[in-house]
Amino acid sequence: KIMAWVDVVGLLAIVQLFVFGALVGRARGTYGVQAPATTGHPMFERYHRVQVNTVESLLVFLPGLWLAAKYWSPKYAAILGVIYLVGRVVYLRAYVSDPKTRSLGFRMSMLPALVLVVAALVGAIRELLRG
């Protein structure tokens, strides 16, 4: 059952990306930035940048989450995943209000992702060395 928590956290990260995408769509309409443009009004650009950064971070976070949970404690992987999710929200709120204040949210999401990837790599190497 604990592994289900890891799956829920991973899927919530994907749902979060959809929400961030919807915010970009709303900002596109609010600030009159017509597709396919990705620049225009500074507030639109902030929402867009949050979404792009979230896509970039998911490429590290999701494999790290699921593989770390495979080799180590799924409970701790899920907890790190929740910290990542909260960090993404903190990042969004900070970046939209003042991009210079985004560092806490960035650290709250990237540090857990990095820990998960390193844990997954160590776990996989340890498994290989066991034969």
Side-chain angles (χ1 to χ4, degrees):
K1 278 197 173 202
I2 292 177
M3 193 60 193
W5 283 108
V6 173
D7 294 338
V8 167
V9 168
L11 293 168
L12 283 174
I14 294 169
V15 169
Q16 187 177 61
L17 177 62
F18 276 111
V19 171
F20 289 2
L23 292 174
V24 171
R26 185 176 74 186
R28 190 177 284 284
T30 300
Y31 302 109
V33 179
Q34 299 299 312
T38 56
T39 60
H41 194 281
M43 288 304 291
F44 164 77
E45 292 176 9
R46 291 177 186 186
Y47 280 103
H48 182 258
R49 186 63 204 132
V50 168
Q51 181 196 30
V52 170
N53 183 266
T54 300
V55 169
E56 294 165 351
S57 71
L58 279 175
L59 292 173
V60 174
F61 172 70
L62 287 175
L65 173 71
W66 282 314
L67 290 170
K70 175 181 175 181
Y71 294 109
W72 303 99
S73 167
K75 176 182 173 182
Y76 293 116
I79 290 168
L80 286 170
V82 169
I83 295 168
Y84 168 89
L85 290 172
V86 171
R88 288 281 86 199
V89 173
V90 171
Y91 181 81
L92 167 75
R93 293 182 67 152
Y95 203 105
V96 169
S97 67
D98 178 4
K100 293 177 198 148
T101 65
R102 73 190 186 276
S103 61
L104 174 62
F106 183 81
R107 286 192 307 269
M108 283 180 68
S109 54
M110 294 315 294
L111 185 58
L114 178 62
V115 168
L116 288 166
V117 167
V118 170
L121 182 60
V122 169
I125 291 170
R126 190 178 77 168
E127 189 71 22
L128 283 172
L129 293 176
R130 286 185 182 165

